[in-house]
Amino acid sequence: MNRLDLTINYESYTGLEQLNDADKALCIQAEEALKSSYSPYSNFKVGTAIRLNNGQVVFGSNQENVAYPSGLCAERVALFTIGVTYPDAEVESMAITAHTENFTIINPVTSCGACLQVMAEVELRQKKEIEVLFYCLNGKVLKLKGVKSLLPFAFFEDRLAV
């Protein structure tokens, strides 16, 4: 038996004022994306803003459906939109935030496993890591480079591409 350890490297900020201007702007844009959330069942809004290497910023918000699990998370809404509208662009960074009227969110909300898998596929396709910012409204921000820190055993199977 071999025992192996995983290490996750990320930066933690107490608020937006500690970020550089580009990261701060992206977090504010993710906050704007919350407005298009359709979340009448969970009342849990999620918004993302993704900056591309061509300068475009693409928004996504969670879209629920009464027939669970027919909805889609904010991250996948935005990433799939990019695949259709900007197929040759690279994702440089993305900011994700959440809000609910039901309780106070005190820590940044991270992406679900399905979204992380899609993010990992984008990184694989573009051969470049994505910078990810998890932003808690009026609070902490977690910043990391590369999705493998969050999903170290992402599913990849080279033989499926043959």
Side-chain angles (χ1 to χ4, degrees), residues 14-28:
T14 58
L16 290 181
E17 65 282 349
Q18 293 183 316
L19 298 176
N20 64 43
D21 289 342
D23 288 347
K24 185 185 307 182
L26 199 61
C27 286
I28 291 168

Side-chain angles (χ1 to χ4, degrees), residues 38-42 63-72:
Y38 179 70
S39 47
Y41 308 105
S42 70
Q63 302 296 311
E64 294 180 350
N65 189 284
V66 69
Y68 287 116
S70 298
L72 200 57

